[in-house]
């Protein structure tokens, strides 16, 4: 129970009865996640203000991050930022068009374990990663914004660190003073699979920094940190993404899908039951900072401009403001590629609306059909599919329990997301893997994913 002085009186139930929280230290991170020690028994209690159980990182990742931190830096980390990957259910490329998305955080996580540097080290920071072995990468958190990127940006096999450094860069622009820190990354979010491991790194970093520097970041709520993480990817990494990835990683809710209006950032949660997501990584190359993503993005804004010119309606600021009737009236004034991109965005927003209503009604068949229709639109109109994605999506049809499937994320490689009835998931994974390897001559990685909670920070 919570006392008025913001301490906690706690009892924990064990196999031999109850243990009283007496003469033991209670560590609280952000007022949410107490930890207790009873002799050799560690009872970790995860609490929120309402008293409900909250999220915690998988134990294996906690251990990897703890050991990795000790190996890289010596000593122990104090806190751990945790953020999930995301699954884009519907709403392909609608986010930067200020449209609508239906997405979920998934139960695959990036963990960033960290501690504040001693005062004598000043603002020097060190970051290391289990996925990218080598000496820790160092940078200076106190540089002024105009010099920050020039001095701190990494390249080549060190470029992974930009997702961490970029968050610090954006905070500096906001006038936030971040001191020196050490951080070690561990992850079970598959990179290059279209589940936004990059956004998970950014959000885990943001939550860790809020925990390490509460005097500087204590007033930043979760949405503010989502915006910082998105800006880091746009401005420091150089990827012109919308807010889908960071919002899903930061604001997810276990057992639900996120329905987001990307213009107002109003969001609600819709239930999902009776089916699970299966993510099928094609292992086709998946790199979005090579210009393909930005090319499509420019097409969308050029199409918007063409609608403004053709209609004379200057209130049109994004393709979200264009409907099917306007496309039929003014579509001839657009180039062939602009017309196709606009058609996809308009119909994809409609599919999001249909998918939300289907979830509310428990109608997984309709949700699955919307997903499959989305893939056809991405392939034929938006132009962001590829041979391997089309093969994987096609092969899912006819397998028992399959309800629908589509490419996910930016496209041009990565994964399909498949909606599969609960009782058929295991058999579906085995059959799809066998079919894809036989036809594409590539061994896929196929994962069963549940919806997860958004990013958080906890004590180690």
């Amino acid at each position: 129970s919570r006392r008025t002085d913001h301490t906690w009186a706690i009892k924990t139930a064990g196999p031999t009865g109850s243990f009283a929280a007496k003469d033991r230290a209670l560590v609280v991170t952000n007022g949410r996640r107490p930890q207790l020690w009873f002799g050799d028994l560690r009872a970790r209690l995860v609490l929120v203000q309402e008293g409900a159980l909250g999220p915690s990182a998988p134990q294996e990742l906690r251990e990897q991050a703890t050991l990795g931190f000790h190996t890289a830096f010596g000593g122990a980390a104090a806190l751990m930022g945790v953020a999930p990957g995301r699954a884009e259910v519907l709403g392909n490329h609608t986010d930067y068009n200020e449209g609508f998305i239906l997405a979920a955080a998934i139960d695959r996580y990036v963990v960033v374990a960290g501690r504040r540097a001693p005062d004598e080290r000043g603002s020097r920071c060190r970051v290391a990663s289990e996925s990218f072995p080598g000496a820790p990468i160092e940078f200076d958190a106190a540089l002024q914004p105009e010099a920050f990127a020039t001095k701190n940006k990494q390249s080549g096999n060190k470029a992974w660190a930009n997702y961490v450094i970029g968050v610090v860069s954006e905070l500096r622009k906001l006038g936030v003073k971040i001191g020196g820190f050490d951080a070690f990354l561990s992850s079970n979010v598959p990179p290059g699979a279209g589940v936004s491991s990059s956004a998970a790194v950014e959000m885990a970093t943001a939550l860790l920094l809020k925990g390490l520097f509460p005097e500087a970041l204590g007033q930043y709520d979760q949405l503010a940190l989502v915006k910082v993480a998105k800006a880091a990817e746009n401005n420091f990494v150089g990827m012109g993404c919308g807010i889908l990835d960071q919002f899903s990683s930061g604001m997810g809710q276990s057992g639900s899908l996120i329905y987001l209006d990307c213009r107002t950032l109003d969001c609600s949660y819709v239930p999902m039951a009776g089916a699970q997501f299966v993510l099928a990584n094609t292992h086709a190359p998946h790199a979005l900072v090579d210009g393909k993503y930005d090319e499509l993005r420019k097409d969308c804004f050029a199409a918007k401009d063409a609608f403004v010119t053709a209609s004379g309606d200057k209130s049109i600021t994004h393709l979200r403001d264009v409907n099917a009737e306007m496309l039929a009236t003014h579509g001839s004034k657009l180039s062939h590629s602009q017309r196709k991109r606009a058609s996809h965005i308009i119909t994809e927003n409609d599919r999001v609306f249909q998918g939300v209503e289907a979830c509310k009604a428990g109608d997984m068949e309709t949700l699955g059909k919307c997903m499959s229709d989305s893939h056809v639109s991405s392939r034929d109109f938006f132009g962001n599919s590829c041979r391997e994605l089309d093969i994987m999506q096609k092969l899912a049809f006819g397998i028992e329990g399959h309800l629908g499937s589509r490419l996910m994320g930016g496209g041009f490689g990565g994964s399909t997301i498949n909606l599969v009835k609960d009782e058929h998931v295991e058999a579906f994974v085995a059959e799809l893997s066998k079919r894809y390897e036989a036809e594409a001559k590539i061994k896929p990685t196929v994962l069963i994913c549940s919806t997860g909670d958004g990013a958080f920070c906890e004590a180690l």
Side-chain angles (χ1 to χ4, degrees):
S1 61
R2 194 175 189 181
R3 299 178 176 140
T4 57
D5 62 355
H6 302 291
T7 61
W8 296 82
I10 297 176
K11 290 184 179 180
T12 61
T16 58
S18 295
F19 298 90
K22 171 171 83 168
D23 298 324
R24 299 295 180 187
L26 176 60
V27 180
V28 182
T29 304
N30 292 334
R32 293 181 63 189
R33 293 175 175 80
Q35 298 185 0
L36 288 172
W37 288 82
F38 299 100
D40 292 332
L41 173 66
R42 186 185 193 186
R44 190 164 54 78
L45 306 176
V46 185
L47 304 175
V48 295
Q49 284 187 340
E50 293 79 9
L53 290 176
S56 182
Q59 185 62 29
E60 182 179 357
L61 278 180
R62 292 175 60 86
E63 293 171 358
Q64 288 173 4
T66 301
L67 177 60
F69 186 95
H70 178 76
T71 302
F73 305 116
L79 300 174
M80 180 173 66
V82 185
R86 67 96 183 94
E88 175 197 278
V89 182
L90 289 167
N92 193 237
H93 285 259
T94 55
D95 55 351
Y96 57 81
N97 288 288
E98 293 198 351
F100 301 86
I101 59 171
L102 187 62
I106 61 173
D107 58 346
R108 298 289 190 278
Y109 300 91
V110 168
V111 168
V112 184
R115 70 182 176 204
R116 291 178 74 142
D119 292 341
E120 59 268 23
R121 208 173 82 202
S123 57
R124 297 297 299 175
C125 303
R126 302 183 296 178
V127 294
S129 171
E130 181 182 36
S131 301
F132 298 91
I137 294 168
E138 297 192 21
F139 67 96
D140 189 347
L143 290 177
Q144 293 301 311
E146 56 270 17
F148 195 98
T150 303
K151 298 287 187 180
N152 288 331
K153 192 162 187 178
Q154 306 296 312
S155 59
N157 60 4
K158 296 181 179 181
W160 64 268
N162 289 332
Y163 297 100
V164 175
I165 301 170
V167 173
V168 179
S169 174
E170 290 304 316
L171 290 171
R172 291 291 294 125
K173 291 178 185 178
L174 294 170
V176 176
K177 292 183 179 180
I178 298 295
F181 64 90
D182 297 326
F184 185 87
L185 282 68
S186 186
S187 173
N188 63 8
V189 178
V195 294
S196 200
S197 55
S198 60
V201 171
E202 292 153 357
M203 286 305 304
T205 299
L207 269 294
L208 171 67
L209 293 178
K210 181 175 179 178
L212 291 179
F213 302 99
E215 70 281 4
L217 280 165
Q219 77 277 20
Y220 280 68
D221 64 13
Q222 196 83 341
L223 182 57
L225 295 178
V226 165
K227 292 177 180 178
V228 166
K230 175 185 177 291
E233 186 133 355
N234 292 162
N235 301 330
F236 197 84
V237 177
M239 172 67 183
C241 65
I243 203 166
L244 161 67
D245 298 343
Q246 291 79 14
F247 196 99
S248 301
S249 182
M251 308 296 282
Q253 187 178 93
S254 182
S256 300
L257 303 183
I258 305 163
Y259 172 40
L260 174 66
D261 180 335
C262 295
R263 171 168 289 171
T264 65
L265 299 187
D266 290 336
C267 106
S268 59
Y269 297 91
V270 294
M272 178 182 162
Q276 296 182 52
F277 294 123
V278 174
L279 309 184
N281 191 344
T282 64
H283 290 294
H286 179 79
L288 297 180
V289 191
D290 60 3
K292 293 179 179 177
Y293 186 102
D294 280 339
E295 185 179 315
L296 289 174
R297 194 172 184 274
K298 288 175 183 176
D299 273 351
C300 288
F301 284 100
K304 179 270 297 182
D305 290 340
F307 275 111
V308 172
T309 301
S311 67
D313 185 353
K314 293 184 179 180
S315 69
I316 298 172
T317 63
H318 293 77
L319 284 180
R320 175 234 181 85
D321 302 314
V322 179
N323 57 33
E325 182 181 353
M326 295 168 68
L327 179 63
T329 302
H330 303 293
S332 61
K333 305 293 191 347
L334 278 64
S335 71
H336 180 66
S337 64
Q338 291 170 359
R339 190 163 55 251
K340 290 175 71 175
R341 309 301 180 242
S343 177
H344 168 75
I345 298 301
I346 293 166
T347 57
E348 187 74 350
N349 281 325
D350 287 340
R351 282 185 286 271
V352 172
F353 303 149
Q354 295 170 33
V356 168
E357 293 306 312
C359 286
K360 290 178 179 178
D363 182 0
M364 293 296 100
E365 285 79 8
T366 295
L367 177 62
K369 182 179 184 304
C370 289
M371 291 169 63
S372 297
D373 289 347
S374 173
H375 183 86
V376 172
S377 181
S378 292
R379 181 192 68 203
D380 295 347
F381 290 92
F382 209 67
N384 63 325
S385 191
C386 67
R387 171 182 174 271
E388 293 84 356
L389 285 169
D390 290 341
I391 289 172
M392 186 74 83
Q393 197 265 349
K394 176 190 71 175
L395 293 175
F397 286 85
I399 303 178
E400 191 171 11
H402 172 260
L403 296 169
S405 54
R406 58 180 292 270
L407 64 82
M408 184 174 62
F412 307 111
S415 300
T416 62
I417 178 171
N418 301 268
L419 186 66
V420 182
K421 292 181 180 178
D422 285 338
E423 62 270 26
H424 298 294
V425 166
E426 297 288 348
F428 177 89
V429 168
E431 181 63 20
L432 182 62
S433 299
K434 183 176 72 174
R435 291 186 181 190
Y436 181 77
E437 187 170 5
E439 182 159 336
K441 311 303 180 190
I442 302 171
K443 187 175 181 64
T445 302
V446 185
L447 303 173
I448 301 168
C449 286
S450 299
T451 56
D453 288 298
F456 56 93
C457 180
E458 63 178 318
L460 280 168

